[in-house]
Amino acid sequence: MAIDPKLAGELKPAGIHVTSFESLINWGRSSSLWPMQFGLACCAIEMIAATMAKYDMARFGAEVFRPSPRQADLMLVAGTVTKKMAPLVVRLYNQMAEPKYVIAMGACAISGGPFKQGYNVLKGIDRYIPVDIVIPGCPPRPEALLDGLLALRKKIAGEKLIGDHRVRHADPKGTAEFPVPEYGAHDLQPAANREIWNPDPVVHEEAAD
Amino acid sequence: MAHPFIPVLVFFAVALAVPIGALVLARLWMNFFTPIKRGKEKNALYECGLEPIAESQTRFHSQYYLFGLLFLLFDVETVFLLPFAVTFLDLSVGAFVVAMLFLLLLAEGLLWAWSKGLLNWRGSQKSNFTIYGD
């Protein structure tokens, strides 16, 4: 960062706030997240609770749930993503305006959760779209969602918008769309987007002697 | 002395400059900070995540309005029949006759529409009504 923190600290008591344009943009973006209005399972109930008066997500500037992806920049994947639903979620993500962020809320959205061994549940939405924040829980309490939202705000505040290693949405060469999987005979085709999902392979070691 | 309409002119200039300026700023902002990302999926119609199957602006046959009118007939009938049925036992003979006359009117309307061939969706050639283009 080009600004000397010491100098900025000296100027602050004098009523002069020094910042970079990048931080200003990130501050604006992080302070007014517009989530998309869709819930997939029981996590959505907690998400709804988080927006209501008791937990009041509006305190963090993220209460305007949009009914259209064109107006949203935060996708809260709240609940079980079945394989039937996964292509729709990916398509909705593709239809959102840049910059866009994803919070995977709850065990199901992260890894399939209690249905991981089942045949019809996607084992984590991060197989198809880039997830920024994961919130564990089954379902996570509204406080956990607010905590995840604050973590996302922190992440946005630290985004690099220019130069090398900038974030995907600020890079003209960054991925514009993530391929939407198709319904195959037994599984979604492809089973995962290998460009963004590359876990270490599971190795079965032979027992010694 | 300045022309008395100069404030109006200034008002128009500002009223034009503000929205145009906002649009230009938004465009510049997009170019510098969020390079636009187009794609097949993003430009596709929004259909709740499903693959769109048709155009967004479909056309209705103008004959549809006749069906709308016929629906209204049954709609009104329902609205008036419900209170009629609820107070049926307490009604005087006069009220009963009036209600029956009302039903008769609606039934006549239906019969009239039927006889004109309005219940046939593709029957516009046979009907006595001219739909535009026919």
Side-chain angles (χ1 to χ4, degrees):
Chain A
M1 200 54 61
I3 299 158
D4 182 9
K6 194 163 157 274
L7 183 68
E10 279 174 19
L11 286 170
K12 206 165 184 181
I16 301 168
H17 194 77
V18 185
T19 185
S20 66
F21 199 42
E22 194 179 58
S23 325
L24 193 68
I25 292 173
N26 286 338
W27 171 73
R29 275 184 185 156
S30 64
S31 307
S32 68
L33 286 164
W34 288 25
M36 193 158 74
Q37 189 177 30
F38 85 112
L40 296 173
C42 26
C43 281
I45 306 298
E46 302 296 312
M47 177 180 80
I48 295 160
T51 62
M52 290 293 124
K54 189 167 180 183
Y55 299 101
D56 199 13
M57 210 153 130
R59 290 177 291 162
F60 310 106
E63 82 282 16
V64 195
F65 275 70
R66 307 312 298 183
S68 164
R70 316 287 191 198
Q71 304 164 350
D73 58 2
L74 168 62
M75 182 183 241
L76 274 160
V77 185
T80 317
V81 188
T82 56
K83 284 178 181 167
K84 191 91 174 173
M85 196 66 193
L88 281 73
V89 175
V90 179
R91 193 173 282 113
L92 285 176
Y93 177 77
N94 283 335
Q95 289 183 339
M96 280 163 67
E98 301 279 358
K100 48 193 171 189
Y101 308 95
V102 179
I103 290 180
M105 182 184 179
C108 294
I110 296 170
S111 68
F115 313 110
K116 191 177 175 68
Q117 307 300 327
Y119 64 95
N120 67 332
V121 171
L122 187 70
K123 291 153 188 64
I125 192 62
D126 58 340
R127 285 170 185 239
Y128 293 113
I129 55 177
V131 174
D132 294 285
I133 300 289
V134 295
I135 306 174
C138 189
R141 285 189 57 85
E143 293 97 327
L145 177 58
L146 295 180
D147 189 48
L149 190 74
L150 290 176
L152 179 66
R153 282 169 55 125
K154 230 173 258 173
K155 185 177 178 177
I156 297 172
E159 273 184 346
K160 262 181 76 104
L161 301 180
I162 44 175
D164 299 333
H165 309 295
R166 64 182 115 171
V167 287
R168 180 192 59 80
H169 61 75
D171 189 353
K173 290 190 285 292
T175 318
E177 286 192 345
F178 293 88
V180 180
E182 283 173 10
Y183 301 123
H186 302 290
D187 198 358
L188 291 169
Q189 295 295 334
N193 182 0
R194 290 290 165 185
E195 281 176 29
I196 58 168
W197 192 76
N198 270 311
D200 295 331
V202 177
V203 180
H204 296 283
E205 289 181 9
E206 295 292 325
D209 67 27
Chain B
M1 193 183 154
H3 195 275
F5 275 100
I6 277 185
V8 179
L9 203 68
V10 172
F11 179 79
F12 269 113
V14 172
L16 270 179
V18 168
I20 289 174
L23 287 175
V24 169
L25 265 179
R27 178 79 205 186
L28 286 174
W29 185 276
M30 189 191 80
N31 283 353
F32 282 109
F33 301 111
T34 307
I36 194 159
K37 293 191 190 301
R38 289 197 177 84
K40 204 167 110 311
E41 296 290 340
K42 186 181 245 181
N43 290 357
L45 298 175
Y46 167 57
E47 230 168 80
C48 299
L50 292 164
E51 211 164 346
I53 50 169
E55 293 296 310
S56 60
Q57 294 173 331
T58 48
R59 294 168 66 185
F60 281 92
H61 201 288
S62 66
Q63 198 182 0
Y64 184 76
Y65 96 94
L66 291 169
F67 275 79
L69 282 178
L70 285 177
F71 165 75
L72 203 67
L73 196 141
F74 289 106
D75 200 34
V76 171
E77 191 170 352
T78 315
V79 166
F80 283 101
L81 267 185
L82 188 68
F84 173 63
V86 167
T87 58
F88 184 73
L89 292 176
D90 304 328
L91 284 180
S92 61
V93 178
F96 177 77
V97 170
V98 167
M100 281 299 138
L101 277 175
F102 172 69
L103 276 185
L104 190 68
L105 273 175
L106 292 179
E108 272 176 22
L110 180 63
L111 283 175
W112 178 79
W114 200 346
S115 66
K116 292 283 183 187
L118 299 182
L119 297 186
N120 301 323
W121 179 251
R122 289 285 164 203
S124 57
Q125 266 81 15
K126 281 184 225 159
S127 80
N128 297 331
F129 282 85
T130 46
I131 312 297
Y132 84 100
D134 284 350

